[in-house]
Amino acid sequence: MSLPPQPLSPLDGRYRGVVEGLGEYLSEAGLNRARVQVEVEWLLFLTGHRMLGSDPIEAEDARALRHWVAGFGQPEIDELARLEATTRHDVKAVEYLVRGKLTELGLTRVAELTHFAATSEDINNLAYALTIRSALHEVWMPRLRDVLTALRARAQEGRGIPMLARTHGQPATPTTIGKEFAVFVARAERILGRIEAVTPLGKFSGATGTFAAHLAADPDGDWPELSREFVTSLGLTWNPLTTQIESHDWQAELFGAVSHLNRVLHNLCTDVWAYISLGYLSQIPQAGATGSSTMPHKINPIRFENAEANFELSSALFDGLAATLVTSRLQRDLTDSTTQRNIGVAFGHSLLALDNLAKGLGEIAIAREVLAADLDANWEVLAEAIQTVVRAEVTAGRSSIADPYALLKDLTRGKRVGPAELRAFVEGLDIGDAAKQRLLALTPATYTGLADDLVDRLE
């Protein structure tokens, strides 16, 4: 017995509830709605400028057309499928759909201005720019900001809580757990600035970017200026120099930046996972949740593992998109057509990762007792402070110790040294009394430098 039709992607199955907001823009239906919008706006633009002897469409009819676009739904989706079954061309089906609406509204007099002097890519590049921009700002960025808000809260909460650092996985100069979260906020917000700075470009210049058909139809028209005015009326930046396609460089810049951000947050996930493993962070039990099918005691860090995997998938897709889209053979090939249909999948995996990360950050607590115990068990990390102070004392003429680094290396390398041993060592040092007292007052928990204050750099 065969299964009924099933979604192939988990984004359209198991995880649909998390990512469905992207479908409003980056689905086939979302793309077609944007195509219809561009076709309608181009028609209204031409008639509004009385091009080719046309008269402006009456305000009531213009409102009706725009209202139809805004209400694009299942009837239009079904009709486009019927039309494309005959045309075998998606944009031509969109043109026929618009023509049908014009007939319904009694506007057949301007029907020939539908898709006028436009190649399919004139419609597509603007439609993709509109849908990507909307998906980015309406769906993806709000979830990213949820993550950044949660991270900022963790940075503030833990700013004064000392933690043993683990460079190369080994005990190292202490930090605070809040400062470590703040590092990721700073990294992510810097890249977010790059994402926000990407300018969606658009072209509307015909089959090879030369305005040839436009001039053939109306030699007196200032078509480059009309093209610029139309593209910018959609809130996009005009690209005057293209082949048949808009070159997709802005998309490559955007996808590269999102991929970079994915990888920074992937790094956050692996660090949080490690802190949970070390016991520095504890996981808050969730009512009814099962950690292991056989080990009842377990609470697995699945939110961070799921986020990690989906960030990896998203970056792989975005990297592939960015690499493929910047190349088009001569004036046009169709490699971008099927490639761009996966933009929603790339954003979907990133959005799913962000959702898991935001939820995971809300399900952890700082284990202060574990952090304190770990610091107290690693007094040897003060060796850095001691040898640095001794070197300063030698430089100032208050000590004659030779090679302070080697002295501390012999005392601490590969060994556990307790507070009594370190204090006895410091008492015997040939250094000034003020420096000696600073070192005697130092503990692993207080050897955190300016970590607490550095969190304020986020402001």
Side-chain angles (χ1 to χ4, degrees):
M1 179 180 291
S2 297
L3 291 171
Q6 297 294 310
L8 187 59
S9 168
L11 296 179
D12 290 320
R14 182 182 183 89
Y15 304 125
R16 180 169 185 155
V18 176
V19 303
E20 63 183 352
L22 290 171
E24 184 72 20
Y25 308 105
L26 297 178
S27 62
E28 191 74 12
L31 175 63
N32 278 329
R33 179 179 59 190
R35 285 165 164 166
V36 171
Q37 177 188 353
V38 173
E39 293 279 14
V40 165
E41 291 301 329
W42 179 234
L43 175 69
L44 294 173
F45 181 88
L46 289 172
T47 56
H49 285 70
R50 299 181 182 276
M51 297 302 297
L52 305 152
S54 65
D55 292 318
I57 293 176
E58 293 183 7
E60 184 177 346
D61 288 329
R63 280 194 298 271
L65 280 170
R66 287 180 169 135
H67 180 75
W68 173 61
V69 173
F72 184 96
Q74 197 60 51
E76 288 74 25
I77 293 170
D78 293 342
E79 179 63 8
L80 279 174
R82 187 189 69 79
L83 290 167
E84 192 176 346
T86 300
T87 64
R88 298 288 195 269
H89 193 289
D90 48 4
V91 177
K92 200 64 178 176
V94 168
E95 178 189 342
Y96 288 161
L97 181 74
V98 173
R99 283 175 174 262
K101 189 63 180 178
L102 292 174
T103 298
E104 180 184 321
L105 293 174
L107 295 171
T108 53
R109 68 184 185 281
V110 294
E112 289 305 324
L113 291 181
T114 309
H115 202 69
F116 178 80
T119 183
S120 297
E121 184 57 17
D122 285 331
I123 307 303
N124 279 337
N125 88 98
L126 299 180
Y128 271 113
L130 294 172
T131 56
I132 293 169
R133 183 182 64 186
S134 294
L136 187 71
H137 290 279
E138 301 299 325
V139 184
W140 185 83
M141 276 191 184
R143 203 61 179 126
L144 172 61
R145 294 191 190 283
D146 290 342
V147 168
L148 295 179
T149 297
L151 280 175
R152 279 182 171 270
R154 291 297 182 188
Q156 290 297 336
E157 175 194 12
R159 61 181 297 158
I161 301 175
M163 177 182 77
L164 188 69
R166 295 271 177 174
T167 59
H168 306 279
Q170 306 304 307
T173 299
T175 178
T176 70
I177 194 163
K179 177 259 180 183
E180 298 310 307
F181 277 117
V183 168
F184 283 103
V185 177
R187 293 177 70 187
E189 289 190 341
R190 177 178 173 274
I191 301 167
L192 176 58
R194 285 172 46 210
I195 292 171
E196 292 175 324
V198 173
T199 303
L201 301 179
K203 61 87 68 175
F204 211 90
S205 51
T208 58
T210 63
F211 299 99
H214 307 65
L215 284 175
D218 184 354
D220 298 324
D222 187 351
W223 289 106
E225 175 56 26
L226 290 165
S227 171
R228 184 203 63 77
E229 185 181 342
F230 176 60
V231 170
T232 57
S233 75
L234 298 174
L236 306 174
T237 298
W238 181 54
N239 186 349
L241 279 170
T242 72
T243 59
Q244 183 176 110
I245 68 167
E246 199 291 314
S247 303
H248 308 319
D249 292 326
W250 74 267
Q251 290 186 38
E253 293 168 15
L254 173 64
F255 301 156
V258 175
S259 178
H260 185 182
L261 184 61
N262 283 342
R263 289 193 167 94
V264 168
L265 295 179
H266 176 282
N267 188 188
L268 169 67
C269 291
T270 59
D271 276 10
V272 171
W273 188 97
Y275 292 142
I276 291 171
S277 179
L278 290 165
Y280 292 178
L281 295 172
S282 62
Q283 296 182 94
I284 301 168
Q286 303 300 302
T290 297
S292 166
S293 63
T294 187
M295 293 175 280
H297 70 283
K298 294 190 73 179
I299 305 175
N300 293 330
I302 57 173
R303 292 291 188 192
F304 301 100
E305 292 169 344
N306 187 299
E308 182 183 334
N310 279 285
F311 279 134
E312 289 172 354
L313 285 169
S314 177
S315 286
L317 287 165
F318 276 130
D319 291 347
L321 286 164
T324 300
L325 290 176
V326 295
T327 299
S328 185
R329 292 173 184 85
L330 305 180
Q331 283 68 53
R332 175 63 163 137
D333 69 38
L334 273 178
T335 51
D336 64 337
S337 179
T338 190
T339 302
Q340 288 184 107
R341 281 186 161 87
N342 290 280
I343 293 171
V345 182
F347 272 110
H349 283 291
S350 183
L351 182 64
L352 179 58
L354 291 172
D355 185 76
N356 273 282
L357 180 52
K359 290 174 179 174
L361 289 169
E363 296 172 359
I364 55 175
I366 299 172
R368 292 171 180 256
E369 298 82 2
V370 175
L371 291 170
D374 201 34
L375 286 162
D376 198 48
N378 287 276
W379 280 72
E380 64 274 11
V381 298
L382 295 182
E384 178 199 32
I386 296 169
Q387 64 96 10
T388 303
V389 168
V390 172
R391 293 172 71 175
E393 291 292 288
V394 171
T395 301
R398 291 188 290 268
S399 176
S400 58
I401 295 173
D403 199 352
Y405 180 88
L407 186 66
L408 271 297
K409 179 179 173 184
D410 289 341
L411 176 70
T412 61
R413 191 173 192 221
K415 305 172 187 176
R416 286 297 174 95
V417 180
E421 295 155 283
L422 272 185
R423 283 171 179 153
F425 179 81
V426 171
E427 288 283 9
L429 287 174
D430 173 29
I431 58 175
D433 188 61
K436 186 173 291 187
Q437 292 307 312
R438 287 200 309 276
L439 289 175
L440 288 172
L442 205 58
T443 71
T446 60
Y447 185 44
T448 57
L450 298 173
D452 186 341
D453 296 332
L454 287 171
V455 174
D456 291 332
R457 296 286 179 173
L458 291 177
E459 304 303 327

